[in-house]
């Protein structure tokens, strides 16, 4: 299934497999539940901006107070460096160990906004956005999807 470029991979694999529908369908299904007491919305970009703040937010949501040694382990195991060093844990589907991507593809660079470096182009970006807008018509949801940020109750 290896493709020579991201555009080729996108149009021949992701788009045909309904990846966009799945991605935006997930957002559309969960967005109305974002203020439920048992739902925590977090965006990768926000986690990258403030890793420790994100971990504190998760702990607070779960109403747990890890010990100092537990915090150290949590910080380590959720760090980009640890995930990159243990990429094999993220490249299979559960116990089946069915590879879904080549080694190193899942945990790439740990950066937000580097899609163009990986082959994303304006045509594909517009195509993805159009599908997203069709599936998830809430403009606040799409803004959050693309940029992250705190979800305030005022944006309902």
């Amino acid at each position: 299934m290896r493709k020579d470029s991201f555009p080729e991979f996108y149009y021949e694999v992701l788009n045909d497999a309904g990846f966009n529908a799945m991605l935006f369908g997930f957002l559309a299904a969960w967005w109305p539940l974002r203020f439920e007491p048992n739902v925590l919305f977090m965006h990768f970009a926000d986690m990258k901006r403030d890793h420790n703040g994100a971990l504190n937010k998760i702990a607070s949501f779960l109403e747990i107070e890890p010990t100092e040694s537990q915090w150290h382990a949590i910080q380590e195991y959720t760090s980009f460096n640890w995930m990159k060093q243990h990429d094999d844990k993220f490249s299979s589907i559960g116990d089946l160990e069915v590879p879904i991507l080549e080694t190193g593809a899942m945990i790439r660079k740990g950066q937000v906004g580097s899609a163009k470096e990986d082959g994303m182009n304006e045509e594909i970006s517009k195509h993805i956005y159009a599908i997203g807008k069709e599936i998830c018509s809430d403009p606040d949801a799409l803004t959050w999807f693309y940029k992250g940020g705190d979800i305030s109750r005022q944006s309902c």
Side-chain angles (χ1 to χ4, degrees):
M1 185 184 323
R2 179 152 172 79
K3 302 296 177 190
D4 292 330
S5 68
F6 178 77
E8 184 181 358
F9 176 73
Y10 175 78
Y11 286 114
E12 292 182 21
V13 179
L14 291 180
N15 192 43
D16 287 346
F19 177 76
N20 293 320
M22 179 182 65
L23 190 64
F24 289 106
F26 186 84
L27 176 64
W30 279 97
W31 188 253
L33 304 173
R34 67 195 179 281
F35 298 127
E36 293 297 319
N38 63 339
V39 174
L40 175 64
F41 255 69
M42 294 196 78
H43 196 283
F44 178 74
D46 300 323
M47 295 174 74
K48 287 299 297 177
R49 278 190 280 271
D50 184 5
H51 183 221
N52 286 330
L55 296 178
N56 282 312
K57 187 174 183 177
I58 294 167
S60 176
F61 177 77
L62 295 174
E63 299 177 344
I64 61 171
E65 295 183 25
T67 65
E68 188 175 331
S69 64
Q70 289 170 325
W71 267 119
H72 178 72
I74 292 167
Q75 289 169 327
E76 178 184 357
Y77 295 148
T78 59
S79 72
F80 172 75
N81 289 336
W82 189 89
M83 290 184 199
K84 189 67 174 171
Q85 291 170 3
H86 299 88
D87 185 69
D88 58 309
K89 296 185 180 297
F90 307 99
S91 61
S92 299
I93 298 176
D95 293 334
L96 300 176
E97 296 192 23
V98 176
I100 55 175
L101 295 170
E102 289 185 19
T103 301
M106 188 67 174
I107 310 297
R108 299 176 356 255
K109 300 173 192 162
Q111 298 173 348
V112 174
S114 61
K116 285 183 181 178
E117 294 173 21
D118 294 327
M120 175 61 77
N121 62 38
E122 190 172 336
E123 177 187 326
I124 294 172
S125 182
K126 286 180 179 179
H127 183 254
I128 292 171
Y129 187 81
I131 291 171
K133 194 173 179 180
E134 185 178 313
I135 295 170
C136 186
S137 60
D138 187 321
D140 290 335
L142 288 176
T143 298
W144 179 84
F145 179 83
Y146 278 94
K147 297 181 180 183
D150 191 35
I151 298 175
S152 68
R153 294 191 183 274
Q154 289 75 32
S155 69
C156 291

